Amino acid sequence: YYAAAMMELSGADRYNPNLIPTLEEYVDKQIASKTFDLSTNLVLLRMYQFFPERTNSTVLVKILVKALMQLPGTDFTLCTYLVPQRFQLEEPIANLSTLAKHAECMQFKEFWEVASKCRYLWESIPGFEESIRNFALHAINLTFSQIRKQKLGEILALGGSDLDTLVKEHCSSSGWQLVGDVINLGNDLKKQLGKKKGSEMLKFTQFGPLLGL
């Protein structure tokens, strides 16, 4: 069913409004399967541009939440380019844009403060907070060779046994070493920074001072 619809997207009916319900159902399928199909979602967003009366704000939010989960990719930015201004100014999408800005600038304390007030946006979308924490860990690993455990907890909005469990797991799987209250990340920072970074990946080193380490 969905495969047939996807085939239609590559033909003359690429922007056939009759496909909108199928594409909206496909967004829910992505949520259920924990996947994300950027190109197909962009087609749906373009259809909303062409047929504004068919725009479903709930589906818009779902797409943008899923897009934000793709950090450090630029999926969220690509999607917001196609969101009509009137929707961008409304609270749900404005909040997501604020969250994206904080995450991209490694302002994770501010991110979680805003997130605590709008969790309803991703209550039906599994894995959102986990994906942001994974992005934060990815950014930290590209920027620092060690970090205080308390600071890590602030960045991830974790504490107590949840933070202890995460640190223990990464000591086992990622080569971390906990020395007192300092975590040595076990990364070869110079080697990582020497790798060529793709044009669609965020640059982290310029934001390092914002972590206050």
Side-chain angles (χ1 to χ4, degrees):
Y1 176 63
Y2 291 105
M6 297 308 106
M7 288 181 65
E8 287 188 59
L9 289 178
S10 62
D13 290 335
R14 184 175 178 84
Y15 295 113
N16 181 347
N18 294 328
L19 289 176
I20 289 177
T22 300
L23 293 175
E24 291 174 338
E25 290 179 28
Y26 185 51
V27 172
D28 288 329
K29 183 179 181 183
Q30 293 171 61
I31 291 171
S33 61
K34 296 184 178 181
T35 59
F36 186 70
D37 187 334
L38 175 62
S39 59
T40 303
N41 292 335
L42 289 176
V43 170
L44 177 56
L45 293 177
R46 290 191 186 99
M47 285 193 180
Y48 284 162
Q49 284 189 321
F50 297 153
F51 309 100
E53 73 283 358
R54 302 286 297 271
T55 301
N56 185 321
S57 58
T58 300
V59 174
L60 274 181
V61 169
K62 289 177 180 178
I63 291 174
L64 292 177
V65 169
K66 289 289 289 184
L68 189 53
M69 292 169 65
Q70 309 311 307
L71 285 168
T74 57
D75 304 58
F76 184 85
T77 300
L78 293 172
C79 288
T80 53
Y81 284 152
L82 298 177
V83 175
Q85 185 70 15
R86 67 186 181 92
F87 287 105
Q88 293 194 33
L89 296 175
E90 293 179 356
E91 184 174 291
I93 293 176
N95 283 338
L96 288 173
S97 295
T98 299
L99 289 172
K101 179 180 178 182
H102 287 319
E104 291 167 358
C105 292
M106 290 180 69
Q107 297 169 337
F108 292 107
K109 181 179 179 181
E110 292 82 355
F111 176 95
W112 295 114
E113 287 176 353
V114 175
S116 68
K117 302 171 185 175
C118 54
R119 285 198 167 92
Y120 68 93
L121 292 174
W122 52 84
E123 281 180 338
S124 64
I125 302 176
F128 177 79
E129 294 185 8
E130 179 185 2
S131 70
I132 298 300
R133 291 189 176 104
N134 287 337
F135 165 65
L137 289 169
H138 174 71
I140 290 168
N141 195 56
L142 289 177
T143 312
F144 302 103
S145 58
Q146 62 181 30
I147 186 172
R148 287 182 288 114
K149 185 179 177 181
Q150 179 183 355
K151 176 60 68 174
L152 179 68
E154 292 175 4
I155 292 170
L156 302 180
L158 289 176
S161 60
D162 290 336
L163 180 60
D164 290 340
T165 298
L166 181 139
V167 171
K168 184 179 295 186
E169 288 176 352
H170 280 273
C171 284
S172 176
S173 64
S174 304
W176 289 10
Q177 291 183 324
L178 181 61
V179 181
D181 67 342
V182 175
I183 302 169
N184 293 317
L185 300 177
N187 53 18
D188 189 342
L189 197 56
K190 290 183 178 179
K191 182 177 180 181
Q192 290 190 46
L193 293 177
K195 291 181 179 178
K196 183 178 180 181
K197 297 182 179 67
S199 61
E200 294 189 0
M201 302 297 278
L202 295 167
K203 306 299 188 290
F204 303 107
T205 52
Q206 60 183 312
F207 301 124
L210 293 173
L211 283 174
L213 299 181

PDB file of all heavy atoms in Angstrom, residues 107-128:
ATOM      1  N   GLN A 107      23.282  24.382  24.007  1.00  0.00           N
ATOM      2  CA  GLN A 107      22.713  25.001  25.211  1.00  0.00           C
ATOM      3  C   GLN A 107      21.707  24.020  25.812  1.00  0.00           C
ATOM      4  O   GLN A 107      20.495  24.246  25.802  1.00  0.00           O
ATOM      5  CB  GLN A 107      22.055  26.333  24.842  1.00  0.00           C
ATOM      6  CG  GLN A 107      23.027  27.357  24.292  1.00  0.00           C
ATOM      7  CD  GLN A 107      22.334  28.564  23.694  1.00  0.00           C
ATOM      8  OE1 GLN A 107      21.175  28.499  23.291  1.00  0.00           O
ATOM      9  NE2 GLN A 107      23.048  29.679  23.621  1.00  0.00           N
ATOM     10  N   PHE A 108      22.243  22.925  26.340  1.00  0.00           N
ATOM     11  CA  PHE A 108      21.364  21.834  26.740  1.00  0.00           C
ATOM     12  C   PHE A 108      20.590  22.137  28.013  1.00  0.00           C
ATOM     13  O   PHE A 108      19.464  21.648  28.184  1.00  0.00           O
ATOM     14  CB  PHE A 108      22.157  20.537  26.874  1.00  0.00           C
ATOM     15  CG  PHE A 108      22.653  20.028  25.553  1.00  0.00           C
ATOM     16  CD1 PHE A 108      23.992  20.120  25.217  1.00  0.00           C
ATOM     17  CD2 PHE A 108      21.774  19.491  24.630  1.00  0.00           C
ATOM     18  CE1 PHE A 108      24.441  19.671  23.978  1.00  0.00           C
ATOM     19  CE2 PHE A 108      22.208  19.039  23.399  1.00  0.00           C
ATOM     20  CZ  PHE A 108      23.552  19.130  23.072  1.00  0.00           C
ATOM     21  N   LYS A 109      21.142  22.926  28.922  1.00  0.00           N
ATOM     22  CA  LYS A 109      20.394  23.311  30.120  1.00  0.00           C
ATOM     23  C   LYS A 109      19.131  24.057  29.713  1.00  0.00           C
ATOM     24  O   LYS A 109      18.033  23.779  30.207  1.00  0.00           O
ATOM     25  CB  LYS A 109      21.252  24.175  31.036  1.00  0.00           C
ATOM     26  CG  LYS A 109      20.551  24.588  32.317  1.00  0.00           C
ATOM     27  CD  LYS A 109      21.458  25.420  33.200  1.00  0.00           C
ATOM     28  CE  LYS A 109      20.735  25.845  34.483  1.00  0.00           C
ATOM     29  NZ  LYS A 109      21.593  26.682  35.353  1.00  0.00           N
ATOM     30  N   GLU A 110      19.303  25.014  28.784  1.00  0.00           N
ATOM     31  CA  GLU A 110      18.153  25.771  28.290  1.00  0.00           C
ATOM     32  C   GLU A 110      17.193  24.862  27.515  1.00  0.00           C
ATOM     33  O   GLU A 110      15.966  25.027  27.587  1.00  0.00           O
ATOM     34  CB  GLU A 110      18.616  26.925  27.402  1.00  0.00           C
ATOM     35  CG  GLU A 110      19.362  28.022  28.127  1.00  0.00           C
ATOM     36  CD  GLU A 110      20.835  27.717  28.348  1.00  0.00           C
ATOM     37  OE1 GLU A 110      21.272  26.587  28.021  1.00  0.00           O
ATOM     38  OE2 GLU A 110      21.550  28.602  28.846  1.00  0.00           O
ATOM     39  N   PHE A 111      17.759  23.913  26.776  1.00  0.00           N
ATOM     40  CA  PHE A 111      16.929  22.968  26.022  1.00  0.00           C
ATOM     41  C   PHE A 111      15.971  22.239  26.949  1.00  0.00           C
ATOM     42  O   PHE A 111      14.759  22.189  26.699  1.00  0.00           O
ATOM     43  CB  PHE A 111      17.809  21.957  25.285  1.00  0.00           C
ATOM     44  CG  PHE A 111      17.023  20.894  24.551  1.00  0.00           C
ATOM     45  CD1 PHE A 111      16.717  21.050  23.211  1.00  0.00           C
ATOM     46  CD2 PHE A 111      16.576  19.749  25.208  1.00  0.00           C
ATOM     47  CE1 PHE A 111      15.974  20.080  22.532  1.00  0.00           C
ATOM     48  CE2 PHE A 111      15.832  18.780  24.542  1.00  0.00           C
ATOM     49  CZ  PHE A 111      15.538  18.949  23.197  1.00  0.00           C
ATOM     50  N   TRP A 112      16.505  21.670  28.030  1.00  0.00           N
ATOM     51  CA  TRP A 112      15.661  20.859  28.910  1.00  0.00           C
ATOM     52  C   TRP A 112      14.670  21.723  29.686  1.00  0.00           C
ATOM     53  O   TRP A 112      13.578  21.242  30.035  1.00  0.00           O
ATOM     54  CB  TRP A 112      16.529  20.032  29.859  1.00  0.00           C
ATOM     55  CG  TRP A 112      17.354  19.012  29.142  1.00  0.00           C
ATOM     56  CD1 TRP A 112      18.721  18.971  29.026  1.00  0.00           C
ATOM     57  CD2 TRP A 112      16.880  17.875  28.402  1.00  0.00           C
ATOM     58  NE1 TRP A 112      19.119  17.897  28.275  1.00  0.00           N
ATOM     59  CE2 TRP A 112      18.013  17.210  27.880  1.00  0.00           C
ATOM     60  CE3 TRP A 112      15.610  17.366  28.130  1.00  0.00           C
ATOM     61  CZ2 TRP A 112      17.904  16.053  27.107  1.00  0.00           C
ATOM     62  CZ3 TRP A 112      15.505  16.216  27.359  1.00  0.00           C
ATOM     63  CH2 TRP A 112      16.637  15.568  26.856  1.00  0.00           C
ATOM     64  N   GLU A 113      15.028  22.982  29.945  1.00  0.00           N
ATOM     65  CA  GLU A 113      14.085  23.880  30.617  1.00  0.00           C
ATOM     66  C   GLU A 113      12.861  24.117  29.738  1.00  0.00           C
ATOM     67  O   GLU A 113      11.723  24.084  30.217  1.00  0.00           O
ATOM     68  CB  GLU A 113      14.766  25.211  30.950  1.00  0.00           C
ATOM     69  CG  GLU A 113      15.758  25.119  32.105  1.00  0.00           C
ATOM     70  CD  GLU A 113      16.494  26.420  32.342  1.00  0.00           C
ATOM     71  OE1 GLU A 113      16.327  27.362  31.534  1.00  0.00           O
ATOM     72  OE2 GLU A 113      17.247  26.499  33.331  1.00  0.00           O
ATOM     73  N   VAL A 114      13.100  24.371  28.448  1.00  0.00           N
ATOM     74  CA  VAL A 114      11.984  24.554  27.519  1.00  0.00           C
ATOM     75  C   VAL A 114      11.232  23.238  27.327  1.00  0.00           C
ATOM     76  O   VAL A 114       9.992  23.208  27.330  1.00  0.00           O
ATOM     77  CB  VAL A 114      12.482  25.084  26.154  1.00  0.00           C
ATOM     78  CG1 VAL A 114      11.334  25.161  25.148  1.00  0.00           C
ATOM     79  CG2 VAL A 114      13.137  26.456  26.316  1.00  0.00           C
ATOM     80  N   ALA A 115      11.981  22.147  27.201  1.00  0.00           N
ATOM     81  CA  ALA A 115      11.363  20.838  26.950  1.00  0.00           C
ATOM     82  C   ALA A 115      10.428  20.429  28.081  1.00  0.00           C
ATOM     83  O   ALA A 115       9.393  19.786  27.842  1.00  0.00           O
ATOM     84  CB  ALA A 115      12.450  19.783  26.761  1.00  0.00           C
ATOM     85  N   SER A 116      10.768  20.816  29.308  1.00  0.00           N
ATOM     86  CA  SER A 116       9.945  20.424  30.457  1.00  0.00           C
ATOM     87  C   SER A 116       8.544  21.015  30.378  1.00  0.00           C
ATOM     88  O   SER A 116       7.620  20.518  31.029  1.00  0.00           O
ATOM     89  CB  SER A 116      10.619  20.860  31.760  1.00  0.00           C
ATOM     90  OG  SER A 116      10.629  22.278  31.886  1.00  0.00           O
ATOM     91  N   LYS A 117       8.374  22.076  29.575  1.00  0.00           N
ATOM     92  CA  LYS A 117       7.084  22.763  29.477  1.00  0.00           C
ATOM     93  C   LYS A 117       6.260  22.321  28.263  1.00  0.00           C
ATOM     94  O   LYS A 117       5.119  22.765  28.101  1.00  0.00           O
ATOM     95  CB  LYS A 117       7.311  24.274  29.415  1.00  0.00           C
ATOM     96  CG  LYS A 117       8.075  24.823  30.611  1.00  0.00           C
ATOM     97  CD  LYS A 117       8.471  26.272  30.388  1.00  0.00           C
ATOM     98  CE  LYS A 117       9.335  26.786  31.533  1.00  0.00           C
ATOM     99  NZ  LYS A 117       9.832  28.174  31.283  1.00  0.00           N
ATOM    100  N   CYS A 118       6.868  21.497  27.393  1.00  0.00           N
ATOM    101  CA  CYS A 118       6.124  21.117  26.177  1.00  0.00           C
ATOM    102  C   CYS A 118       6.335  19.652  25.809  1.00  0.00           C
ATOM    103  O   CYS A 118       6.405  19.311  24.632  1.00  0.00           O
ATOM    104  CB  CYS A 118       6.503  22.032  25.014  1.00  0.00           C
ATOM    105  SG  CYS A 118       8.271  22.146  24.643  1.00  0.00           S
ATOM    106  N   ARG A 119       6.411  18.808  26.819  1.00  0.00           N
ATOM    107  CA  ARG A 119       6.602  17.382  26.552  1.00  0.00           C
ATOM    108  C   ARG A 119       5.423  16.764  25.822  1.00  0.00           C
ATOM    109  O   ARG A 119       5.546  15.703  25.215  1.00  0.00           O
ATOM    110  CB  ARG A 119       6.874  16.620  27.862  1.00  0.00           C
ATOM    111  CG  ARG A 119       8.274  16.842  28.411  1.00  0.00           C
ATOM    112  CD  ARG A 119       8.652  15.767  29.436  1.00  0.00           C
ATOM    113  NE  ARG A 119      10.074  15.808  29.722  1.00  0.00           N
ATOM    114  CZ  ARG A 119      10.623  16.509  30.709  1.00  0.00           C
ATOM    115  NH1 ARG A 119       9.850  17.224  31.496  1.00  0.00           N
ATOM    116  NH2 ARG A 119      11.924  16.500  30.904  1.00  0.00           N
ATOM    117  N   TYR A 120       4.279  17.422  25.886  1.00  0.00           N
ATOM    118  CA  TYR A 120       3.097  16.904  25.191  1.00  0.00           C
ATOM    119  C   TYR A 120       3.345  16.790  23.688  1.00  0.00           C
ATOM    120  O   TYR A 120       2.675  16.015  23.001  1.00  0.00           O
ATOM    121  CB  TYR A 120       1.893  17.816  25.441  1.00  0.00           C
ATOM    122  CG  TYR A 120       1.997  19.179  24.794  1.00  0.00           C
ATOM    123  CD1 TYR A 120       1.459  19.414  23.533  1.00  0.00           C
ATOM    124  CD2 TYR A 120       2.653  20.236  25.432  1.00  0.00           C
ATOM    125  CE1 TYR A 120       1.560  20.661  22.924  1.00  0.00           C
ATOM    126  CE2 TYR A 120       2.759  21.483  24.840  1.00  0.00           C
ATOM    127  CZ  TYR A 120       2.217  21.687  23.589  1.00  0.00           C
ATOM    128  OH  TYR A 120       2.335  22.907  22.980  1.00  0.00           O
ATOM    129  N   LEU A 121       4.319  17.535  23.169  1.00  0.00           N
ATOM    130  CA  LEU A 121       4.584  17.527  21.729  1.00  0.00           C
ATOM    131  C   LEU A 121       5.112  16.176  21.253  1.00  0.00           C
ATOM    132  O   LEU A 121       4.941  15.821  20.091  1.00  0.00           O
ATOM    133  CB  LEU A 121       5.586  18.635  21.367  1.00  0.00           C
ATOM    134  CG  LEU A 121       5.093  20.071  21.527  1.00  0.00           C
ATOM    135  CD1 LEU A 121       6.224  21.058  21.280  1.00  0.00           C
ATOM    136  CD2 LEU A 121       3.939  20.343  20.566  1.00  0.00           C
ATOM    137  N   TRP A 122       5.787  15.457  22.120  1.00  0.00           N
ATOM    138  CA  TRP A 122       6.368  14.166  21.689  1.00  0.00           C
ATOM    139  C   TRP A 122       5.935  12.996  22.576  1.00  0.00           C
ATOM    140  O   TRP A 122       6.547  11.935  22.548  1.00  0.00           O
ATOM    141  CB  TRP A 122       7.896  14.239  21.666  1.00  0.00           C
ATOM    142  CG  TRP A 122       8.531  14.734  22.946  1.00  0.00           C
ATOM    143  CD1 TRP A 122       8.829  14.004  24.064  1.00  0.00           C
ATOM    144  CD2 TRP A 122       8.955  16.073  23.226  1.00  0.00           C
ATOM    145  NE1 TRP A 122       9.397  14.803  25.018  1.00  0.00           N
ATOM    146  CE2 TRP A 122       9.493  16.080  24.532  1.00  0.00           C
ATOM    147  CE3 TRP A 122       8.941  17.268  22.497  1.00  0.00           C
ATOM    148  CZ2 TRP A 122      10.001  17.237  25.129  1.00  0.00           C
ATOM    149  CZ3 TRP A 122       9.444  18.419  23.091  1.00  0.00           C
ATOM    150  CH2 TRP A 122       9.965  18.400  24.387  1.00  0.00           C
ATOM    151  N   GLU A 123       4.865  13.174  23.312  1.00  0.00           N
ATOM    152  CA  GLU A 123       4.385  12.083  24.164  1.00  0.00           C
ATOM    153  C   GLU A 123       4.058  10.828  23.351  1.00  0.00           C
ATOM    154  O   GLU A 123       4.230   9.708  23.838  1.00  0.00           O
ATOM    155  CB  GLU A 123       3.153  12.532  24.952  1.00  0.00           C
ATOM    156  CG  GLU A 123       3.479  13.386  26.157  1.00  0.00           C
ATOM    157  CD  GLU A 123       2.232  13.807  26.924  1.00  0.00           C
ATOM    158  OE1 GLU A 123       1.135  13.795  26.325  1.00  0.00           O
ATOM    159  OE2 GLU A 123       2.363  14.152  28.108  1.00  0.00           O
ATOM    160  N   SER A 124       3.593  11.024  22.125  1.00  0.00           N
ATOM    161  CA  SER A 124       3.200   9.869  21.298  1.00  0.00           C
ATOM    162  C   SER A 124       4.329   9.422  20.365  1.00  0.00           C
ATOM    163  O   SER A 124       4.124   8.546  19.521  1.00  0.00           O
ATOM    164  CB  SER A 124       1.964  10.223  20.460  1.00  0.00           C
ATOM    165  OG  SER A 124       2.270  11.271  19.543  1.00  0.00           O
ATOM    166  N   ILE A 125       5.514  10.036  20.526  1.00  0.00           N
ATOM    167  CA  ILE A 125       6.635   9.730  19.631  1.00  0.00           C
ATOM    168  C   ILE A 125       7.777   9.147  20.459  1.00  0.00           C
ATOM    169  O   ILE A 125       8.476   9.876  21.168  1.00  0.00           O
ATOM    170  CB  ILE A 125       7.099  10.994  18.875  1.00  0.00           C
ATOM    171  CG1 ILE A 125       5.931  11.573  18.074  1.00  0.00           C
ATOM    172  CG2 ILE A 125       8.280  10.678  17.972  1.00  0.00           C
ATOM    173  CD1 ILE A 125       6.244  12.867  17.365  1.00  0.00           C
ATOM    174  N   PRO A 126       7.965   7.835  20.396  1.00  0.00           N
ATOM    175  CA  PRO A 126       8.988   7.200  21.243  1.00  0.00           C
ATOM    176  C   PRO A 126      10.409   7.604  20.855  1.00  0.00           C
ATOM    177  O   PRO A 126      10.717   7.823  19.692  1.00  0.00           O
ATOM    178  CB  PRO A 126       8.753   5.697  20.994  1.00  0.00           C
ATOM    179  CG  PRO A 126       8.102   5.631  19.643  1.00  0.00           C
ATOM    180  CD  PRO A 126       7.257   6.867  19.539  1.00  0.00           C
ATOM    181  N   GLY A 127      11.240   7.738  21.884  1.00  0.00           N
ATOM    182  CA  GLY A 127      12.671   7.920  21.653  1.00  0.00           C
ATOM    183  C   GLY A 127      13.152   9.343  21.516  1.00  0.00           C
ATOM    184  O   GLY A 127      14.348   9.562  21.262  1.00  0.00           O
ATOM    185  N   PHE A 128      12.271  10.348  21.700  1.00  0.00           N
ATOM    186  CA  PHE A 128      12.700  11.730  21.474  1.00  0.00           C
ATOM    187  C   PHE A 128      13.816  12.148  22.432  1.00  0.00           C
ATOM    188  O   PHE A 128      14.884  12.587  22.000  1.00  0.00           O
ATOM    189  CB  PHE A 128      11.515  12.696  21.607  1.00  0.00           C
ATOM    190  CG  PHE A 128      11.911  14.138  21.447  1.00  0.00           C
ATOM    191  CD1 PHE A 128      12.122  14.677  20.191  1.00  0.00           C
ATOM    192  CD2 PHE A 128      12.108  14.950  22.556  1.00  0.00           C
ATOM    193  CE1 PHE A 128      12.509  16.014  20.030  1.00  0.00           C
ATOM    194  CE2 PHE A 128      12.496  16.284  22.417  1.00  0.00           C
ATOM    195  CZ  PHE A 128      12.690  16.805  21.156  1.00  0.00           C
TER     196      PHE A 128
END
